[in-house]
Amino acid sequence: MKLHGSYTSPFVRHCRVALAQEGLYSDFIETDLSAIIEKSPVAKMPLLTDGDLTLTDSSSILKHIREKSGGHFLADLQDYENFALTNTVLDSMVNVFLLENEGFGAEQIRYVGRQKNRIANGLATLNRRFDPSQGIVRDSALRCACFIDWALFRNRISNLDQWDNLRGLLAEANQSEAFATTAPPR
């Protein structure tokens, strides 16, 4: 298997952690967006090849990794709902991050303001939904931990003081060697 992606992407990191958790080997090919355009029809990361199989979304990659090792991806409806909610909030934060890096804020584009409201409401909801004592056994919790660590890394949130469960979830995740060793370079 070959996993193409960036060390800083929370989507790629989730796949890297899942590979380590399942004891599966994959070559990691660090790739930037200009190089991924040639390989992915939607020009996004991660991208996984396994023989003749090519997967271009982290969700399908995670399903493949879990099932290849005999496990399950998103064990039940609540796990799936929490995974989807995390993705929604993460996608909103990535969009705001990219737009602001291009000089477009809520003053120029109302969409940015709506996305910031979605992020604030989403973080509060995620904080209520995740119990840090459960750790990152479920993929929804692992996705959330990857997201929160990315948000801190990219200075999209300054601290986790108002989200005690998210702070606890990240602390639990950092107890996992697979999570800790895949942290973005600081």
Side-chain angles (χ1 to χ4, degrees), residues 75-87:
D76 56 42
L77 184 59
Q78 192 60 55
D79 194 25
Y80 185 77
E81 170 62 17
N82 289 339
F83 184 85
L85 176 63
T86 301
N87 280 343

Side-chain angles (χ1 to χ4, degrees), residues 157-172:
I157 52 178
S158 58
N159 62 59
L160 297 173
D161 290 346
Q162 60 185 324
W163 301 297
D164 54 336
N165 285 340
L166 296 179
R167 182 178 59 246
L169 178 66
L170 184 57
E172 283 296 316

Side-chain angles (χ1 to χ4, degrees), residues 141-161:
L142 177 52
R143 175 58 55 99
C144 189
C146 290
F147 161 47
I148 296 303
D149 206 30
W150 175 85
L152 290 167
F153 171 74
R154 290 294 188 193
N155 298 312
R156 302 315 301 171
I157 52 178
S158 58
N159 62 59
L160 297 173
D161 290 346

Side-chain angles (χ1 to χ4, degrees), residues 2-78:
K2 293 180 182 178
L3 179 66
H4 301 257
S6 161
Y7 285 108
T8 59
S9 165
F11 300 101
V12 174
R13 184 181 190 189
H14 189 163
C15 295
R16 292 173 59 222
V17 172
L19 285 163
Q21 287 174 329
E22 300 300 337
L24 296 174
Y25 175 78
S26 174
D27 289 323
F28 182 70
I29 300 158
E30 188 172 11
T31 308
D32 63 16
L33 283 176
S34 61
I36 205 74
I37 289 170
E38 299 172 17
K39 296 177 177 29
S40 172
V42 292
K44 70 176 204 165
M45 294 183 253
L47 179 133
L48 180 101
T49 56
D50 188 1
D52 293 336
L53 178 67
T54 299
L55 301 172
T56 61
D57 186 86
S58 65
S59 297
S60 58
I61 293 168
L62 290 165
K63 183 171 176 57
H64 178 65
I65 291 168
R66 298 297 188 202
E67 290 179 357
K68 187 173 181 121
S69 65
H72 298 285
F73 175 61
L74 302 175
D76 56 42
L77 184 59
Q78 192 60 55

